[in-house]
Amino acid sequence: MDLRVDIAGEHAADELRSLREWLVAEEPLRGRVRLAAGAPEKGTLGSGMDALAVALGNGGAFTVFPTVAVTWLKRRTGRMAVKITRPDGSTVEISSDLVRPQNAEELRETAERLVRALAPSHGETQDG
């Protein structure tokens, strides 16, 4: 399953690179995360890297990704949100306002809810 990860907030491009660094630091996610180009803005010759593409399959990567994303978001300053788009176009969004006041148990529960929200729907496999 391939996910698209977008960040909304101040310094979104820098934060996107920061999240990528956190993700690739985890063994199950190495080689599964890349910067993705968006559509070029009107009047420009090219596009910037404005999202992450995360390839999740069966196993550890599928559960590690939400845990890292939630933990990373809690440590951000300012207001921002992470929007995750599934292959079917459905989206899940988590914000710093939600996770920042959470304790460790609440963060674990948020990560588990994110795993469930990203889980393949009936008839869809995690391999995409």
Side-chain angles (χ1 to χ4, degrees):
M1 169 191 305
D2 290 341
L3 303 175
R4 177 183 169 96
V5 180
D6 295 277
I7 294 179
E10 193 173 341
H11 309 292
D14 292 335
E15 296 294 358
L16 191 68
R17 284 187 287 278
S18 172
L19 176 56
R20 181 188 174 281
E21 288 175 15
W22 276 59
L23 293 170
V24 299
E26 298 295 324
E27 181 64 35
L29 294 171
R30 282 193 198 124
R32 296 177 173 270
V33 181
R34 63 179 172 79
L35 292 170
E41 292 184 28
K42 187 174 183 174
T44 64
L45 295 176
S47 62
M49 299 300 166
D50 65 350
L52 294 178
V54 182
L56 302 178
N58 293 323
F62 189 77
T63 56
V64 169
F65 168 73
T67 302
V68 173
V70 167
T71 303
W72 174 85
L73 187 57
K74 180 177 176 61
R75 295 175 185 247
R76 301 295 95 196
T77 58
R79 298 181 84 179
M80 73 177 51
V82 175
K83 181 172 107 175
I84 304 161
T85 305
R86 295 179 70 233
D88 66 4
S90 63
T91 62
V92 178
E93 189 169 310
I94 56 173
S95 71
S96 57
D97 291 342
L98 169 73
V99 300
R100 194 168 294 123
Q102 292 183 341
N103 63 34
E105 179 62 30
E106 292 167 328
L107 284 172
R108 187 169 39 256
E109 290 171 5
T110 298
E112 288 172 2
R113 283 194 302 274
L114 188 53
V115 168
R116 289 191 298 274
L118 296 175
S121 58
H122 182 69
E124 180 183 3
T125 67
Q126 286 183 349
D127 291 330

